[in-house]
Amino acid sequence: MGCDRNCGLIAGAVIGAVLAVLGGILMPVGDMIIQKTIKKEVVLEEGTIAFKNWVKTGTEVYRQFWIFDVQNPQEVAVNSSKIKLMQRGPYTYRVRYLAKENITHDSENHTVSFVQPHGAIFEPSLSVGTENDTFTVLNLAVAAAAHLYENPFVQVVLNSLIKKSKSSMFQTRTLKELLWGYKDPFLSLVPYPVPTTVGVFYPYNNTVDGVYQVFTGKDNISKVAIINTYKGKKSVYAVFGADINLKGIPVYRFVLPSKAFASPLQNPDNHCFCTEKIISKNCTLYGVLNIAKCKDGRPVYISLPHFLHASPEILESFEGLNPNEEEHSTYLDVEPITGFTLQFAKRLQVNILVKPSRKIEALKSLKRNYIVPILWLNETGTIGDEKAKMFRKQVTGKISLLGLVEMVLLSVGVVMFVAFMISYCACRAKKVK
């Protein structure tokens, strides 16, 4: 009877030890198996689930616009006053709904290149008004002409055409005209061939964005779908911000750092954006990037909305701007196991430089340079509820279940081993007495 009891206790202890060891083994082995299964399906190559969903995303992506409506145009043009701005929006379009094109794989570098066809569909239910709403904004053609043609004689000619077309420093345009293009009356009078259609995003429909080059994740799953280059140049980077929970899925939030818009003195990588010394104040101005080289010399500057993280002197020329991190920062939420971006918000502001011109009457009274905000946009997308449910089931659910099994086996095994060993030792002690 004593032997049977001792044998039973030892057997229980052995079973507990086996369960504990099994739980311990499952941790690395189980994780490795799941990682291998996931990796097989999330790399961007022909035949995987990820590639199919990547070529034409099922997630709806929206681009929201807020237009800066100038409240005191005459006062600015005559007295060079602070520009009073009133933000109006959002006006929402559905974008990135077309499949990627010209997809080419580079197996040696584990990258895939493509272009993204442009397309925009107005969404009235997600907008505060219609495409026919009107705004008072900077005259894009007048501001650009004074910058592009600095020769005094040429500016005299341009001035006569500006006056003849009854153009001025500011203009009234509909949302549709401002975004997608309008026939400019001043440019239409220029006696030699120049583009006469002007718009912040003109041309857009029936054009493409890219070439993009992204990593497939074949050699490193954490890099899947991360942009390597855009139009042959290195992409803007993001830094870790926080751990958050998105529809029951743990994700890492990465944010665009203020350093991305820093001056070349603060961030040497931005030296190529400083192409002159006056506007940039000897390359010390920060928070705006001069992208004129990408816009055929037109004085276009990009920044974060409301000049978030910009030099204080830039904001001093305006009233009505209120930068804040929550509304105006750019971020993306990445699921750490698959590397998939499940939510993002890309926020940028488009600004035009306008400066005094002694020969152009519309700009003659200006006493300072203005980097004038035209609009800011928020391009955003979030994994849908159904896809989030599927993701939880296929990825995070399996990992959570495996983790639970591991912990149960380990916990039960340890408890059984300790309990049976204590009982065995107690029985042995009684027998000795």
Side-chain angles (χ1 to χ4, degrees), residues 41-84:
E41 287 301 325
V42 302
V43 295
L44 297 180
E45 61 182 10
E46 296 282 356
T48 66
I49 296 172
F51 185 77
K52 180 182 177 182
N53 286 293
W54 173 80
V55 171
K56 185 175 183 180
T57 178
T59 300
E60 293 186 340
V61 178
Y62 296 102
R63 186 177 294 171
Q64 301 170 299
F65 293 101
W66 284 264
I67 313 300
F68 289 109
D69 196 13
V70 178
Q71 304 297 293
N72 60 336
Q74 191 63 23
E75 188 181 341
V76 175
V78 174
N79 301 320
S80 195
S81 305
K82 282 189 175 184
I83 301 178
K84 295 179 181 178

Side-chain angles (χ1 to χ4, degrees), residues 338-350:
T338 62
F340 285 170
T341 298
L342 303 186
Q343 179 174 260
F344 68 92
K346 181 179 74 177
R347 294 159 174 165
L348 289 174
Q349 182 170 296
V350 178

